[in-house]
Amino acid sequence: MSNPTILDKIKSYKLEEIAAAKAKTSPDAMDEKARTAPPVRPFKDALLQASIQGYGLIAEIKKASPSKGLIREDFDPVALAEAYAEGGATCLSVLTDTPSFQGANEYLTQARDACDLPVLRKDFMFDPYQVAEARALGADCILIIMACLSDGEAAALEKAAAEWGMDAIIEVHNQDELTRAEALKSRLIGINNRDLNTFETTLDTSRTLARYVPEGRIIICESGLETREDLADIARYGARCFLIGETLMRADDVASATRMILSNPLTAGGM
């Protein structure tokens, strides 16, 4: 047998986490928490509106990663959310996975309470229970990662998100996953330039796959974006929405770095 990949290891501990969470808070009890959560903020619509004239930016609150280790020492979800909002971000992404990213559920709630931006729960989702949990935390959108899900699992997560009034980003990083994603209803297609099995990153992934994304879908370019020139480059391939974490998280002045990376959008005429 081949050695387990990073994704295999993540799935293994995530399924254990889900079982433990269900033992602590029953699915019915979690549904009740989700029903009493603050109203959903429009995630997809915010991106669409921002991308008409400029770019839709999902700014990520991420303390660490498996490939890079600790990213930011002075990690404060409230201050980061405020800085991103001040810098012109459209939405937030908050890592809630603990073992690989040093995230926490409370980071999402804290960040969302600190600003008016819609928030993505960035985690590895396998069970509709996690979608109710995301809504209970205040999340407005979830991530559906095709690399670690069957078609049936992905469809069940998308259905659960719709039932809670949430949006879903369908994340792909190769042609096969994109083809599978097309069977789902969500308009948000995230192209991850990072291979989640090797953690190698190249913007060529977006350059290649963007041309195959069907009309009517909104492309979100994820990972490996460092400068406003990178954004203009990828915008030429049809992506006007971006998810950026590490580059902004390492900045001394997060609001200023956010403002800078958004400062020179490629206009429609330049595409």
Side-chain angles (χ1 to χ4, degrees), residues 23-255:
K24 185 179 175 187
T25 307
S26 72
D28 285 347
M30 188 57 76
D31 284 355
E32 186 54 38
K33 286 188 174 187
R35 274 191 289 273
T36 58
V40 176
R41 296 172 183 169
F43 194 95
K44 169 178 63 68
D45 292 349
L47 287 177
L48 195 55
Q49 197 60 39
S51 66
I52 292 171
Q53 297 295 330
Y55 294 141
L57 173 65
I58 307 169
E60 189 154 270
I61 293 176
K62 176 164 75 169
K63 186 176 184 179
S65 80
S67 55
K68 302 289 177 69
L70 186 67
I71 293 170
R72 191 176 184 93
E73 294 258 356
D74 62 328
F75 182 81
D76 179 349
V78 169
L80 290 164
E82 290 172 344
Y84 280 146
E86 183 190 332
T90 312
C91 301
L92 298 180
S93 167
V94 182
L95 264 296
T96 56
D97 176 82
T98 304
S100 298
F101 293 89
Q102 296 182 38
N105 288 345
E106 56 265 30
Y107 294 164
L108 190 151
T109 306
Q110 291 164 4
R112 193 181 191 273
D113 287 348
C115 66
D116 294 327
L117 303 184
V119 181
L120 166 72
R121 182 192 188 183
K122 186 81 172 289
D123 210 319
F124 298 88
M125 312 290 269
F126 293 97
D127 190 307
Y129 178 88
Q130 293 169 284
V131 184
E133 184 181 51
R135 185 76 280 272
L137 294 170
D140 307 292
C141 185
I142 62 160
L143 191 65
I144 297 177
I145 304 173
M146 297 308 291
C148 55
L149 297 166
S150 68
D151 291 350
E153 288 168 334
L157 291 171
E158 184 181 58
K159 181 170 180 277
E163 286 170 353
W164 288 113
M166 303 166 74
D167 289 309
I169 298 174
I170 316 299
E171 182 177 289
V172 304
H173 80 287
N174 60 35
Q175 185 78 58
D176 176 59
E177 289 167 13
L178 177 57
T179 301
R180 293 170 55 216
E182 289 170 20
L184 296 166
K185 296 171 184 169
S186 175
R187 289 181 65 194
L188 299 175
I189 300 289
I191 300 178
N192 196 343
N193 299 304
R194 180 173 293 118
D195 184 322
L196 291 177
N197 284 310
T198 63
F199 273 73
E200 290 174 1
T201 305
T202 170
L203 293 180
D204 283 340
T205 305
S206 280
R207 294 184 187 110
T208 302
L209 289 183
R211 71 189 70 176
Y212 298 110
V213 175
E215 283 284 323
R217 305 284 176 115
I218 300 164
I219 304 170
I220 301 167
C221 177
E222 308 171 9
S223 305
L225 298 155
E226 296 180 359
T227 65
R228 63 186 191 180
E229 287 76 23
D230 287 340
L231 273 58
D233 173 20
I234 298 301
R236 290 186 175 88
Y237 295 84
R240 298 192 65 82
C241 296
F242 304 89
L243 190 152
I244 305 177
E246 193 178 323
T247 297
L248 299 176
M249 287 294 301
R250 291 190 186 280
D252 292 332
D253 184 335
V254 172

Side-chain angles (χ1 to χ4, degrees), residues 6-19 66 97-101 123-124 126:
I6 296 170
L7 267 185
D8 291 333
K9 292 173 183 172
I10 288 172
K11 182 172 185 176
S12 177
Y13 74 67
K14 195 55 69 174
L15 294 178
E16 290 177 12
E17 279 183 10
I18 295 164
D97 176 82
T98 304
S100 298
F101 293 89
D123 210 319
F124 298 88
F126 293 97

